[in-house]
Each structure stands twice: as structure tokens, then as C-alpha cells.
Amino acid sequence: SLSASRVSGTECEKTWESLDNVDNVECVSEPSGGGAVYNVTFKKWPSEPMENNYFSHTGNPGLSNFSCDVGGASSMSGSPVYCNISNLVSDDVTEYEYCARRGQCDF
């Protein structure tokens, strides 16, 4: 087992960015009790993400596409382990649509 407080923001970013469907994230790690709180911000999705017949998105995946399993996590202090997924920026996100569905293209 590994204490969450030992995983740095840089390690968190490298782990997320190793996924084919993630291009750039920002991870901020804050100590909390005997562990840590991680705030992960997706900054950029790849222009040609790895997709399959089960999952695809047009550059702005919805919250329903994310889940968090804390079944293997525990707290040494007995505090509950939880995961909160929220969408902080939901407007003016450029999708992978022709001209981003924003009107005329300026090529």
C-alpha cells in the first residue's frame, strides 16, 4: 500500500497523461489528515484520441463518462474515502466538430 500523501502532483499528472485519451492535466495535491486531496483539471484532450466502439467523445466528455472506484482505498485514521467529480468549466469548450460548430471557418 502507498500513502496518498506520498504521491506528488507531478506523479499524478504523469499517471493521467500516460493514458491515450488524455493529453494534458494539472494535478494539485494537498495534504489532508493522513492522506491527501487531489484536484485534477483536464486541460487538453488529444486531437485524435484513442477511441473504441464503447467510448468516444467530441472533445468535451460529459460527467457521466467518468467514474471513481474507491473500493481499494482506505484511511488509516478511519475517515471516509470519497471521490467527487465535478465540471468546473462547461461553457465555451471547443469540440472536435467541423469548425467547432462555431460558424464560419477561417482557413
Side-chain angles (χ1 to χ4, degrees):
S1 77
L2 177 65
S3 169
S5 60
R6 293 188 185 177
V7 179
S8 70
T10 302
E11 290 175 279
C12 173
E13 287 178 20
K14 286 181 182 178
T15 302
W16 277 104
E17 291 171 359
S18 71
L19 300 172
D20 291 332
N21 274 355
V22 178
D23 193 26
N24 186 15
V25 300
E26 177 184 27
C27 290
V28 177
S29 171
E30 300 172 17
S32 176
V37 172
Y38 294 94
N39 289 304
V40 180
T41 304
F42 293 93
K43 299 290 210 170
K44 184 177 179 188
W45 304 105
S47 56
E48 294 185 30
M50 177 66 110
E51 297 181 332
N52 57 37
N53 61 340
Y54 181 73
F55 180 77
S56 67
H57 66 82
T58 59
N60 185 19
L63 285 179
S64 63
N65 290 310
F66 295 88
S67 65
C68 186
D69 180 3
V70 296
S74 62
S75 168
M76 293 181 72
S77 68
S79 298
V81 177
Y82 64 92
C83 180
N84 179 25
I85 300 172
S86 57
N87 192 357
L88 301 178
V89 178
S90 60
D91 59 337
D92 199 29
V93 177
T94 304
E95 300 93 0
Y96 301 144
E97 299 290 337
Y98 186 73
C99 298
R101 296 189 297 165
R102 299 284 196 280
Q104 291 185 326
C105 297
D106 186 14
F107 294 113

